[in-house]
Each structure stands twice: as C-alpha cells, then as structure tokens.
Amino acid sequence: MTQNAILLNQLLNLSQQELEHTKIRFNLNNGHVDPIEVFKTNPEEVNTNWLLWREKNNRFHVGDIVISLVRISNDHYLFTAVKTITKDLGVHNGVAYDADERLESSNFDGRVIVNFHKDFRASVTEALKVIDSLEVTEVLPDLFNDNHFPGYDNVRLSYSQLGNIIHSQLFDWNSALENQKAVYLITDKKSGKLYVGSATAERGMLLKRWRTYIKNGHGGDVALKQLVNEKGFDYVKSYFQYSILENYNARVDDAIVLARESWWKLTLGSRAEELGYNRN
C-alpha cells in the first residue's frame, strides 16, 4: 500500500454498518468477452445485466450493497457502480434483482481507477475482506475511454474494440481512418486462418470498409460469409482480430493498393484454404 494512499471507500463513504452488508463483483476477461470493452460500449450492460445476474446461487439479499469493478489490465480496475438491492425477482440464469443506484457516489461511476491484486478465484466477495486494499490511482475527468488512435503501425483490435470505435465515432480514429486507403489483415485467433483485404476509394476507404465487418461479420467476402453462416456471428465477435498491413493516403491510385493486397495474399498464403479465407 502506497503511503498516504486514497482508498476507494474514502470516495464512496460507506459506513462500517453498510460495509458489513456490502459485496464486490470483479468483472474479468473470460477469454471471449472483455468487460472493459463492453462497459465502454454500453455501461448498463455491465452495471445491470452483469452486476445483478444470478445463475444458481443467491449471491445477494435485499438490503445488500453491491459494488462493480471491471478489470482494465493486470491489477487495475475501473469502479463502475454501487447499488442497493431492493427486490429479489426469483430469477435464475438472468437478471435476478431490482436495485437502486447509490446517488451519493454516482458522480464517480466509470471515473475511478483502483489498484488491487486479486489472488482468489471467486468473482464476488465480501467488501470487508478487500475494502482496505482498494487503492485509488486515478480519478478521471470524464467517463473512462482509452481508445486513442495509436498510429497506423500499432492498430490491432478485437471485434469488440473495433465495434466500440465505430459506434462511439471517436474523433481521432475517424480522422485517421476515414480518408485512408489500406491493405488490412483479419486474423481468426481460434483457427489461425488469415484474411487479407483492401480498402480503396471504390470500397469506401478503411473506416467505411471496416464498418461492414461490424455490421455483419463478413463484409460480403465469400469465405467469411460462409464462416458466419456455418458458425454464427458470435464466432466472429469472439475470435476475429483486425490490423493494418499498409496504409496510403487518398491520392494513391487504387491499382497500387490492389497490387499490394495480392502481394500480401501470396506472402501470407491466405489463398490456401487450410491457411486463410481469401478465395481470389
């Protein structure tokens, strides 16, 4: 613990009596869905559908206070909400509770980053066990969003990350991609197969081209469309990754981009059915 550290509860101001009836839910990456990306796209999905979900065991009771923390990376978590359970809906495998937001601390929702080393498996724990170890490292001026454009050579995005960029219309990403031609790579992280594509003036530049993948998963490409038909859109959402091989400004002739696309297909072997999804 850092000397003179600020603890999360110094911001939430829960009394000792309240802490005795408080539980904390740690939302972690399960290998398929990254909760911080879900939060950035739709905070209520995390703060209601995830926080108040019950499978078999009854984690909460009427009167309990529940805190949501979402892992950002390693030992850093984002505080996203604190609510009081007002009703048990008797639901299993669904949202099982009604809850009221704690207005006294709602100003901090989605803005406070805490440091905590989680060394236990349970996703829900009693607050008294950990509350004195939740150290505040930063209070953000606005709702958390770390999707700043990293430069063309450093773009590597999951489906959920790309979807958040598209739906949120992030200015720096839009400015960087909307007038760029490119040769891009889609990687199927489960099978290892590759798809090399191009964004030209005819195909609407890179931002518009990538929007089609977010919309339907395949962008009209033959083998990707077949994959979506066979395995479903959720397969794409879970396993596809998007990156840029080469980018060009809008004045570069489309023929140059298409030639480089063919070069990358040959280099990576993505036309071979066992290696990739390119069919031309």
Side-chain angles (χ1 to χ4, degrees):
M1 182 70 66
T2 306
Q3 188 176 9
N4 300 321
I6 297 174
L7 300 180
L8 178 62
N9 197 41
Q10 289 177 255
L11 304 181
L12 303 184
N13 199 29
L14 295 168
S15 69
Q16 182 65 27
Q17 184 176 4
E18 287 175 320
L19 287 173
E20 292 174 359
H21 301 282
T22 298
K23 294 183 179 179
I24 299 175
R25 175 165 187 143
F26 291 87
N27 296 284
L28 310 179
N29 190 326
N30 63 11
H32 298 292
V33 179
D34 188 347
I36 196 63
E37 296 302 324
V38 175
F39 176 81
K40 289 188 292 185
T41 303
N42 182 7
E44 273 308 298
E45 179 70 15
V46 172
N47 291 341
T48 296
N49 294 350
W50 289 23
L51 182 60
L52 304 178
W53 185 278
R54 174 171 62 200
E55 294 179 357
K56 296 180 180 179
N57 298 327
N58 188 19
R59 290 174 168 169
F60 308 134
H61 299 87
V62 173
D64 281 354
I65 296 171
V66 293
I67 295 172
S68 172
L69 296 179
V70 175
R71 177 177 278 171
I72 300 171
S73 62
N74 296 327
D75 294 340
H76 288 91
Y77 294 81
L78 180 70
F79 163 75
T80 66
V82 55
K83 297 185 176 184
T84 302
I85 303 296
T86 58
K87 184 178 180 180
D88 188 327
L89 301 176
V91 173
H92 293 275
N93 293 314
V95 175
Y97 311 94
D98 282 339
D100 289 338
E101 188 172 3
R102 185 180 171 89
L103 297 179
E104 301 95 307
S105 53
S106 61
N107 184 51
F108 294 112
D109 292 359
R111 294 180 48 228
V112 177
I113 298 175
V114 300
N115 184 76
F116 176 73
H117 180 65
K118 185 176 181 292
D119 57 3
F120 50 88
R121 293 186 61 184
S123 60
V124 176
T125 190
E126 296 175 4
L128 285 175
K129 294 181 179 179
V130 300
I131 199 69
D132 291 335
S133 300
L134 298 175
E135 178 183 345
V136 174
T137 60
E138 188 174 2
V139 179
L140 304 171
D142 299 299
L143 199 67
F144 176 86
N145 194 325
D146 63 347
N147 282 331
H148 302 296
F149 185 69
Y152 299 103
D153 293 340
N154 295 305
V155 173
R156 185 175 62 235
L157 301 166
S158 66
Y159 176 91
S160 61
Q161 288 173 323
L162 179 57
N164 180 58
I165 289 165
I166 297 295
H167 296 313
S168 300
Q169 299 182 348
L170 298 178
F171 176 77
D172 55 344
W173 280 92
N174 280 7
S175 298
L177 301 182
E178 65 184 351
N179 294 310
Q180 285 289 304
K181 299 179 182 182
V183 179
Y184 58 84
L185 179 68
I186 299 176
T187 303
D188 181 338
K189 296 180 70 176
K190 184 174 177 65
S191 69
K193 290 187 176 183
L194 305 174
Y195 177 86
V196 175
S198 63
T200 59
E202 183 178 355
R203 306 195 84 177
M205 304 301 206
L206 185 54
L207 184 64
K208 186 174 181 179
R209 183 73 187 113
W210 276 3
R211 280 186 181 132
T212 64
Y213 292 113
I214 295 304
K215 181 179 180 179
N216 56 32
H218 55 72
D221 300 313
V222 175
L224 296 183
K225 193 172 184 177
Q226 182 179 349
L227 179 74
V228 171
N229 289 337
E230 291 176 355
K231 297 190 175 183
F233 199 173
D234 284 345
Y235 182 90
V236 169
K237 294 177 181 179
S238 296
Y239 298 115
F240 272 30
Q241 176 180 279
Y242 306 82
S243 56
I244 297 172
L245 296 173
E246 298 180 6
N247 70 287
Y248 308 88
N249 66 49
R251 294 187 297 274
V252 172
D253 191 280
D254 282 357
I256 294 175
V257 181
L258 295 174
R260 294 301 296 165
E261 177 189 17
S262 293
W263 187 90
W264 278 107
K265 288 176 182 178
L266 288 171
T267 300
L268 297 175
S270 62
R271 288 191 176 109
E273 190 168 345
E274 67 275 14
L275 298 177
Y277 293 118
N278 288 112
R279 295 295 175 262
N280 59 19

